[in-house]
């Protein structure tokens, strides 16, 4: 009953957690907590017992502590105020003599994702970085990244970054790797962690001490390093040589990528590396870990794009086994298709022919398409196999074979004769839209060579009323008109019937329009129809365009060992394009654009507002937290740079104003209570060049005006003007919302 | 980096859900709806749903899924999932729904230690043991505390200091799986052996071990003087196509001298993994004969021949002969073992408990077919086989395993060593 009746469950658990008898009995207490976690896992909202769970965190039982911390990390964002109560216990645990408890507490504290926790975790993290137990240091280093993440877009703490850089020399390997990860996240805006020569060499020397995860990670970071000289480059490659033979396929792939990238000026080195990883890759391709096998196959395909002959001698390794999962079979067929050459073509085709009768229709169709792909080079053999397949009279096979034929005659006109001979009789075994379209197209374009073409089309015309796919009807119209041009006598009558049906009875507008179009075209005269419909029947040059000869290794080296070969380049491009757009969104408020300000600003204002950032080239930096003291000092030391009066009527909510200002990255330092007269507010903002804008808003009692005074620590009129216009817009907007 | 890790049962109910990053959104449900409930053939172990990548692995009917938003390297994520399975198996055995439900506290503990903020941390089962308090209340003694500190600061990540055993003992298992794809005419289309050397060590202190096997390159290097010895006894050495080692093996030494030396982790670990493709001893030959008698009858005769020393015994032999879908009845006669037609699996399953080497056994069956108007030809899936033999089909032999511990006073002779060879069938298929 996990998804229903959560209230009763919560009530019951709450009661149990409060029961002093249960609290006294450790095992029973822990059991109740376990139940809470179990419900939480199942997706039940357990935030109702937060208070009781916080109480349970004060215990010596480590298991219980772990469970409670797990619970708190999940629900802290929902109950930030209650979570603050737990911080005390956590802080105490951070100085426990047991390093395990220290680590656990620190990790949990950093994982509480709620606003305001930063100020509490800063000190424990700093202590943790200097802890004598490396277990705690590991946690603390990643804690820095978590803390940065919490701040969102806050400024980078230079001291902390330096501390992390120095921890790269830590003696514990995991601390070193965690440092890299943490720095990477903290410095993301600036392009990530910097790998200079000393760091790169240090990491290279530590490589063998790392575990496989660490090695893979470091190999990835080393991609960024550019060796100064050729000598250094080859030294590095020599050092990393053994990782090409690592027991972990991930490390092997990482090392391969690094080799390919570092040696991008030395094609012979690249080829050499690819030869050497052949063994490990083949091993992965035939390993029992199917998912790894899949990934390896994807990469084999990638390599084959550049070096078509690379795996030729091993083609038998890519023969499918009956019991392999579907996804591996599909990949293997693709690989076979790529590595076919004069010597092995016979065996590969034999093998593929076997797959065409596989029980899985999906796989059989993939095999047929693969044969169609090979047919571009070895046309005769393939067409023969495909023709034999038609003899099986299987629906799912016939339809794919006919589609393959259609694509083939377009690219390889020399096989047209053979295809035309094979076609008669197919129509009985085709039911789906794709297959029908392909068959009708072939009959239309090459109808003069197929004796019974008009009769087959006639059958389609007879049954057009019951035809469900509009695309088939469209194809039928075009094909029949084409055939009419070459064999008018046999087609005239049914063309008339088809046009009549399409214009008078057809409900699909596209088909109807196509019918009308052809009808009017016919009215113009037969010569005009010929001129328009009789285009070339094949285009062999397209084949050359489609598979450009070998692609250089450097064109995909940077994609190696990422998700790109797994998804395919095209699919990945769509995924990452969307991701790019998404990533831009949260950045918008930072550049002080108003686009993301949500309901605060009504639609009609948006246009005007969005123009602003461009006009003055003003970039306000977010979250510049000035202390009140500093503000006061600066305020007193500066002269008023600009003073202005805006119309202002009646009551308003200072909170609304504060929020609106927040959106454009203007910080409110201090503000009078709502309704008090005179009402004052002090604001501060900073742009990307470091120029400060300090502002006072003043509402005098009885006056229907707001007085604005702005001070600037660097006198620059153009930024000042754009700042004022931003301010005006915000205040104007609030005014409009009110009225 | 991994944003979250989920474990589901076959119905898609969440058994374990651990989120490390906020950016993955409501990934738990997305995976359930789009993959587990999709009820289609899985087209790829990597799925992209709403720009989030899901990497999944199935163990029996349990789904394990790792989720990420980043462009990670896929091999690493899968390796991590395998490692996760290994670690869980080391703690509670088989990965099943019941075991996961019973150990869910432990699994959360493990997930906490192995991954932090989505980054893999220490994942060696031995080293993890110190941090996991599965049994609970046990409060830490002073000694254990200092142990943690020494372990977490130690230079060697895979072994802690101060291990002591009354009896120094080690077990070596050579586990091989032999894979075969054979054509109906008895021609080998592809065959390979993938093997593992698994070691269980119960040794005190920080022992230095040296492992030797009949690797062709080593034998040839040493055997230059005594060439006649190798020629005399035929196949003495094997050619290894490629091999990989546990992290503890010093690779530099292997590259220069091809000697395998290491300080082993405590307990069980996989010392090496290798693959051979040449001169494989195929333990069994399967000779199929299928004859179609008219449209409603099939005659099948299958002979299996064991091809190893007569003194050895193969076990758990199972031959699976597929039958067409429209089978109505089957009569089987076999000389040895038991054979049964299993309609639900569309196959005749022939089981033989034990079989000595150089023997032959035969099964013949008559299959009655229902006449159908389905023109679809029967695809004739291959005959597959399962077995277990007490030798290594690759021919690998352990020549020695020497143990040196300079600080403690026990020598190589005091260590009790056990070596065992097990050859199992991987995908062992003969087309018919």
């Amino acid at each position: 009953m996990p998804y229903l009746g959560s209230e009763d469950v919560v009530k019951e658990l709450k009661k149990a957690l409060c029961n002093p008898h249960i609290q006294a009995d450790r095992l029973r207490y822990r059991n109740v907590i376990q139940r809470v976690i179990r419900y939480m896992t199942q997706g039940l909202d357990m935030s109702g017992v937060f208070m009781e769970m916080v109480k349970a965190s004060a215990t010596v039982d480590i298991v219980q502590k772990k469970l409670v911390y797990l619970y708190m990390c999940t629900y802290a964002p929902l109950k930030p105020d209650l979570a603050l109560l737990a911080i005390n216990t956590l802080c105490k645990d951070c100085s426990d003599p047991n390093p395990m408890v220290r680590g656990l507490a620190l990790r949990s504290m950093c994982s509480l994702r709620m606003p305001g926790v930063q100020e509490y975790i800063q000190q424990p993290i700093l202590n943790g970085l200097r802890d004598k137990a490396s277990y705690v240091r590991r946690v603390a280093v990643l804690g820095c990244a978590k803390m940065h993440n919490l701040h969102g877009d806050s400024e980078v703490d230079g001291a902390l970054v330096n501390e992390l850089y120095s921890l790269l020399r830590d003696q514990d390997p995991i601390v070193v790797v965690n440092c890299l990860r943490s720095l990477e996240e903290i410095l993301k805006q600036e392009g990530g962690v910097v790998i200079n020569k000393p760091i790169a060499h240090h990491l290279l020397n530590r490589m063998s001490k790392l575990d496989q995860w660490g090695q893979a990670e470091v190999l990835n970071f080393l991609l960024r390093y550019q060796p100064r000289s050729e000598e250094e480059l080859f030294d590095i490659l020599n050092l990393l040589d053994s990782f090409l033979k690592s027991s972990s396929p991930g490390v092997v792939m990482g090392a391969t990528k690094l080799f390919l990238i570092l040696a991008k000026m030395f094609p012979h080195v690249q080829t050499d590396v690819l030869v050497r990883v052949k063994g490990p890759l083949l091993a992965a391709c035939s390993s029992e870990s199917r998912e790894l096998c899949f990934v390896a196959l994807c990469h084999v395909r990638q390599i084959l794009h550049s070096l078509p002959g690379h795996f030729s001698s091993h083609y038998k390794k890519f023969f499918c086994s009956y019991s392999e999962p579907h996804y591996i079979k599909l990949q293997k067929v693709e690989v076979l298709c790529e590595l076919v050459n004069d010597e092995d073509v016979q065996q590969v085709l034999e093998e593929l022919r076997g797959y065409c009768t596989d029980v899985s229709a999906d796989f059989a169709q993939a095999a047929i398409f693969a044969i169609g792909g090979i047919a571009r080079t070895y046309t005769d053999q393939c067409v023969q196999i495909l023709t034999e397949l038609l003899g099986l009279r299987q629906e799912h096979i016939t339809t794919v074979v006919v589609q393959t034929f259609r694509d083939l005659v377009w690219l390889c006109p020399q096989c047209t004769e053979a295809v035309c001979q094979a076609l008669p009789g197919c129509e009985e075994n085709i039911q789906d839209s794709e297959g029908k379209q392909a068959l009708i197209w072939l009959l239309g374009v090459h109808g003069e060579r197929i004796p019974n073409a008009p009769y087959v089309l006639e059958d389609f015309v007879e049954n057009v009323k019951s035809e469900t796919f509009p695309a088939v009807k469209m194809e039928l119209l075009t094909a029949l008109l084409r055939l009419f041009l070459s064999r008018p006598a046999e087609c005239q009558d049914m063309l008339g019937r088809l046009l009549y049906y399409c214009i008078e009875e057809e409900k699909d507008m596209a088909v109807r329009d196509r019918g009308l179009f052809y009808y009017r075209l016919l009215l113009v005269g037969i010569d005009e129809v010929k001129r328009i419909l009789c285009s070339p029947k094949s285009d062999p040059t397209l084949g050359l365009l489609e598979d450009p000869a070998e692609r250089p290794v450097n064109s995909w080296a940077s994609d190696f060992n990422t998700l790109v070969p797994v998804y395919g380049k095209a699919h990945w491009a769509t995924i990452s394009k969307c991701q790019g757009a998404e990533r831009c969104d949260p950045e918008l408020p930072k550049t002080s654009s108003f686009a993301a300000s949500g309901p605060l600003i009504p639609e009609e204002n948006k246009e005007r507002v969005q123009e602003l950032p461009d006009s003055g080239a003003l970039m306000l930096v977010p979250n510049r937290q000035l202390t009140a003291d500093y503000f006061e000092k600066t305020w007193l030391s500066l002269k008023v740079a600009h003073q202005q009066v805006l119309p202002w009527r009646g009551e308003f909510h200072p909170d609304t104003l504060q929020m609106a200002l927040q959106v454009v990255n203007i910080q409110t330092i201090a503000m009078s209570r709502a309704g008090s007269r005179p009402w004052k507010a002090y604001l501060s903002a900073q742009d990307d060049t470091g120029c400060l804008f300090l502002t006072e808003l003043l509402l005098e009692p009885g006056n229907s005006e707001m007085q604005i005074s702005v001070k600037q620590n660097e006198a620059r009129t153009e930024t000042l003007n754009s700042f004022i216009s931003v301010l005006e817009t915000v205040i104007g907007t609030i005014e409009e919302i009110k009225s | 980096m991994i944003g979250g890790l989920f474990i589901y049962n076959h119905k898609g109910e969440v058994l374990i859900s651990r989120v490390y990053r906020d950016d993955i959104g409501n990934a738990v449900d997305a995976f359930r709806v789009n993959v587990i409930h999709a009820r289609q053939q899985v087209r790829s172990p990597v799925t992209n749903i709403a720009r989030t990548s899901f990497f999944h692995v199935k163990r029996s009917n349990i789904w394990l899924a790792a989720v990420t938003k980043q462009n990670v390297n896929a091999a690493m994520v899968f390796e991590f999932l395998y490692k996760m399975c290994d670690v869980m198996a080391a703690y509670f055995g088989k990965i099943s729904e019941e075991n996961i439900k019973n150990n869910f506290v432990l699994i959360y503990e493990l997930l906490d230690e192995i991954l932090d903020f989505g980054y893999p941390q220490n994942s060696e089962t031995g080293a993890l043991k110190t941090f996991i308090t599965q049994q609970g209340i046990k409060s830490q003694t002073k000694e254990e505390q200092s142990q943690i500190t020494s372990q977490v600061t130690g230079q060697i990540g895979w072994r802690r200091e101060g291990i002591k055993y009354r009896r120094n003992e080690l077990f070596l298992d050579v586990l091989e799986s032999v894979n075969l794809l054979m054509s109906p005419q008895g021609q080998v289309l592809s065959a390979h052996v993938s093997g593992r050397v698994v070691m269980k060590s119960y040794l005190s202190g920080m022992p230095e071990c040296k492992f030797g096997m009949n690797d062709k390159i080593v034998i040839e290097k040493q055997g230059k003087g005594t060439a006649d010895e190798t020629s005399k006894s035929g196949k003495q050495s094997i050619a290894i196509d490629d091999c990989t080692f546990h992290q503890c093996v010093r690779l530099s030494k292997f590259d220069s001298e091809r000697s395998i030396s290491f300080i082993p982790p405590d307990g069980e670990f996989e010392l090496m993994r290798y693959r051979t493709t040449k001169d494989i001893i195929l333990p069994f030959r399967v000779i199929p004969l299928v004859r179609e008698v008219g449209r409603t009858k099939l005659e099948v005769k299958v002979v299996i021949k064991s091809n190893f020393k007569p003194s050895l015994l193969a076990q758990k032999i199972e031959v699976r002969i597929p039958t067409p879908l429209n089978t109505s009845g089957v009569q089987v006669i076999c000389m040895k073992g038991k054979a049964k037609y299993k309609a639900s699996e569309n196959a005749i399953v022939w089981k033989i408990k034990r079989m000595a080497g150089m023997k032959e056994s035969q099964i013949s069956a008559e299959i009655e077919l229902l006449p159908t108007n389905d023109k679809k030809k029967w695809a004739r899936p291959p005959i597959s086989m399962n077995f277990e033999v007490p030798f290594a089909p690759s021919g690998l032999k352990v020549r020695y395993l020497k143990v040196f511990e300079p600080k403690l006073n026990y020598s190589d002779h005091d260590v009790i060593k056990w070596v065992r060879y097990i050859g199992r069938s991987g995908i062992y298929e003969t087309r018919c």
Side-chain angles (χ1 to χ4, degrees), chain A residues 26 38 41 66 113 134-135 146 185 210 212-213 248 250 291 316 321 351 362 394 561 563 567, chain B residues 21-22 43 53 71 73 79 82 104 108-109 113 116 119 123 137 152 189 247 376 427 431:
Chain A
R26 253 185 196 166
R38 188 163 295 184
T41 305
K66 284 188 178 178
R113 287 161 296 205
S134 61
Y135 181 69
K146 291 181 193 168
E185 295 212 12
L210 307 177
Q212 52 177 333
W213 324 117
S248 144
E291 292 79 11
K316 280 187 178 167
S321 203
E351 185 69 18
D362 224 14
Q394 299 272 304
N561 198 23
L563 285 177
Y567 285 132
Chain B
R21 297 269 178 162
D22 280 336
R43 292 206 68 117
S53 297
N71 187 5
N73 58 57
E79 263 182 72
Y82 298 148
F104 90 104
Y108 274 121
E109 267 192 87
E113 294 296 338
D116 190 7
Y119 294 113
S123 58
I137 314 167
V152 291
L189 291 174
Q247 193 194 1
K376 206 168 177 174
I427 294 173
R431 294 184 178 167

Side-chain angles (χ1 to χ4, degrees), chain A residues 66-139:
Chain A
K66 284 188 178 178
L67 288 173
V68 174
Y69 289 161
L70 175 71
Y71 172 91
M72 286 202 286
C73 293
T74 313
Y75 289 115
L78 297 178
K79 306 250 170 170
D81 38 343
L82 285 177
L84 281 178
L85 296 174
I87 290 216
N88 198 10
T89 328
L90 282 164
C91 281
K92 215 167 68 201
D93 282 352
C94 279
S95 43
D96 194 278
N98 185 345
M100 204 164 94
V101 176
R102 290 204 297 273
L104 173 66
L106 190 55
R107 185 167 54 217
S108 312
M109 202 143 84
C110 297
S111 307
L112 293 175
R113 287 161 296 205
M114 54 177 198
V117 78
Q118 297 100 305
E119 52 178 307
Y120 300 100
I121 61 178
Q122 202 151 17
Q123 198 50 47
I125 285 181
L126 288 178
N127 295 342
L129 288 177
R130 296 178 195 122
D131 201 291
K132 69 177 193 303
S134 61
Y135 181 69
V136 183
R137 290 202 300 276
R138 292 174 190 169
V139 172

